[in-house]
Amino acid sequence: MKRFWNDRRIVALSVLLLVATVLVLTWYLLIAVHPAGPWNPLPPGKTPVAVAVGTIHRVGPEVTWPPTWTPTPTGTATSTPTITPTPTSTPTRRPPTPTNTPDPRLSYYITRLRKRAYKGGTVEITGDIPHNEDYAAYYISYPSGNLTITGYMYVPQGQGSFPVIILNHGAYDPEMYFTGTGTQREADYLARHGYLAIAPDYRNYGESTAGDSLLLVGYMTDVLNLVNSVETIDKADPSRIGMWGHSMGGGVAIKACVVSDRIKAVALFGSVSADEKDNYYWNGVTRLKIHQIFGLPERNPGTYAWLSAVRYLDVAPPMSIHHGEADDIVPIEFSEKLGQRMLEAGRSVEYFTYPGQPHTFQGEAWELAMERVLRFFDKYVGRRS
């Protein structure tokens, strides 16, 4: 024992530990006696600051953003409010009054889109395009909500009523686009075979009014407003409407046909995916804005399911799917997946691939695809003989 205390290093360490213990005990005693003192780093009423991490806010337990506030009833306001202090009560900080701002995601869910009204209006002829012996051609416009949408229309010669095919073009630089881009040769083919062909420009394209179309919902809205305007077209049969779409226009057509039951059949060339999770990773143009509203697909799989037409294929009409095997713009796997999901949903579907064909079909492959599309529309939409 005497040797132990003769070791100066051990003695010094023991003294330091004793002093530290006394200081800590003194600190805790001061907090216990006077909790609001300056020595308490977390006095009563002070809470940790919320730290934003992506779409999650953490304040103690993890909660989903945005939080739902439940305000404390404040009673009836008077013209001369007074404050009466109550010594025995502790003042509390109340949350701000809610503004009843709707969740911005809801307007993009398929179930919500199916409940919306697409009233359309009158399709007006705004100009003539040179006619031929098979069809008359016109520039048109029609209302889509508070927007005006332009496009063109080919009307077969002879007596109506003719079945209608609405053609949806793909994505283009609006500055380089003109009415008819991406749809003209298909519209010509269908009109020469007895279908009244209409191709809307969509918002932002041609002479149409500008507007938002995140997740193609704006373009789909323009198309469905056209569907419900067909009855104002002379020689058109509004009970027989089919739809064709290429690339982005295929995505528009897929979404439209699970929202409206007025579309009897859909033909797709090189279409984008019916699953918005696929499109999120494929299309980097709008990814940032989509991420800001809906987050990552992996973190919010339910949300992306509600956004995606692939979940609602049980109400889809018959589909004819076509994709070039050399397509280097839209993955052919998107069409393979759609065809398989249609089969799983018990829906009528046909799926064709074209060896060596790029994103836009060329030559004999295009002619073969259109022959198949014509037979498909004849079966499910129907022509007058």
Side-chain angles (χ1 to χ4, degrees):
M1 189 69 177
K2 185 175 182 180
R3 178 186 295 179
F4 176 82
W5 289 110
N6 286 337
D7 191 330
R8 296 180 179 179
R9 290 175 298 179
I10 295 178
V11 172
L13 180 61
S14 300
V15 172
L16 288 174
L17 290 174
L18 179 60
V19 171
T21 302
V22 171
L23 290 174
V24 171
L25 291 175
T26 302
W27 181 42
Y28 274 100
L29 182 61
L30 289 171
I31 291 175
V33 172
H34 188 35
W39 40 77
N40 188 354
L42 194 64
K46 185 176 181 180
T47 58
V49 178
V51 178
V53 182
T55 57
I56 300 297
H57 277 229
R58 290 188 175 90
V59 183
E62 188 171 285
V63 297
T64 303
W65 178 258
T68 301
W69 289 105
T70 304
T72 304
T74 58
T76 303
T78 62
S79 58
T80 56
T82 59
I83 300 175
T84 303
T86 305
T88 58
S89 64
T90 302
T92 58
R93 183 177 298 172
R94 291 175 177 170
T97 302
T99 58
N100 296 322
T101 302
D103 187 337
R105 298 172 298 180
L106 296 179
S107 61
Y108 296 95
Y109 291 163
I110 299 295
T111 51
R112 182 64 63 90
L113 294 172
R114 285 175 58 83
K115 294 178 181 179
R116 280 177 49 184
Y118 303 90
K119 298 180 180 180
T122 301
V123 176
E124 297 182 355
I125 293 175
T126 58
D128 285 348
I129 302 173
H131 299 3
N132 58 45
E133 60 182 8
D134 294 307
Y135 58 80
Y138 308 97
Y139 291 110
I140 63 167
S141 69
Y142 66 93
S144 180
N146 60 350
L147 306 181
T148 297
I149 307 302
T150 57
Y152 70 95
M153 174 174 66
Y154 292 168
V155 182
Q157 302 287 8
Q159 299 296 318
S161 300
F162 297 106
V164 176
I165 304 298
I166 296 174
L167 298 101
N168 301 302
H169 67 76
Y172 295 93
D173 179 352
E175 297 296 326
M176 303 298 294
Y177 173 89
F178 59 88
T179 297
T181 301
T183 55
Q184 193 168 13
R185 61 176 180 165
E186 289 80 12
D188 174 85
Y189 185 96
L190 292 169
R192 291 181 186 277
H193 287 84
Y195 287 94
L196 193 155
I198 315 174
D201 292 327
Y202 316 140
R203 61 190 64 191
N204 306 318
Y205 285 94
E207 299 300 319
S208 300
T209 312
D212 178 70
S213 188
L214 189 65
L215 297 175
L216 307 183
V217 169
Y219 300 153
M220 182 216 69
T221 299
D222 298 338
V223 167
L224 290 185
N225 279 316
L226 175 58
V227 167
N228 291 325
S229 301
V230 165
E231 61 189 19
T232 69
I233 300 173
D234 188 31
K235 295 187 177 182
D237 185 348
S239 68
R240 295 185 292 165
I241 300 175
M243 199 166 280
W244 175 92
H246 175 238
S247 193
M248 179 190 77
V252 174
I254 296 169
K255 191 160 286 191
C257 78
V258 299
V259 170
S260 172
D261 60 2
R262 297 194 61 185
I263 303 165
K264 305 304 180 184
V266 172
L268 306 169
F269 281 15
S271 176
V272 302
S273 181
D275 189 337
E276 294 300 343
K277 178 179 66 177
D278 297 336
N279 293 327
Y280 176 90
Y281 288 107
W282 168 75
N283 181 11
V285 177
T286 59
R287 186 182 304 162
L288 177 59
K289 188 171 183 180
I290 292 172
H291 180 268
Q292 290 172 340
I293 298 176
F294 306 105
L296 282 170
E298 288 76 12
R299 294 192 65 175
N300 301 290
T303 295
Y304 278 80
W306 298 329
L307 297 170
S308 301
V310 71
R311 181 176 179 173
Y312 301 88
L313 295 179
D314 58 321
V315 298
M319 287 189 188
S320 180
I321 305 171
H322 306 255
H323 214 116
E325 294 181 9
D327 190 333
D328 59 354
I329 296 178
V330 176
I332 194 171
E333 289 78 14
F334 289 176
S335 289
E336 293 173 355
K337 179 178 181 178
L338 176 59
Q340 182 61 38
R341 293 296 181 85
M342 283 285 288
L343 289 176
E344 293 171 0
R347 312 305 291 172
S348 178
V349 63
E350 57 184 29
Y351 174 48
F352 303 98
T353 64
Y354 299 80
Q357 284 297 305
H359 188 53
T360 300
F361 297 157
Q362 305 294 329
E364 293 181 359
W366 179 84
E367 294 177 1
L368 175 59
M370 290 306 299
E371 288 174 4
R372 289 167 169 168
V373 165
L374 183 63
R375 289 197 298 268
F376 172 75
F377 281 144
D378 285 349
K379 180 177 181 180
Y380 292 106
V381 180
R383 284 183 291 169
R384 282 187 179 276
S385 58

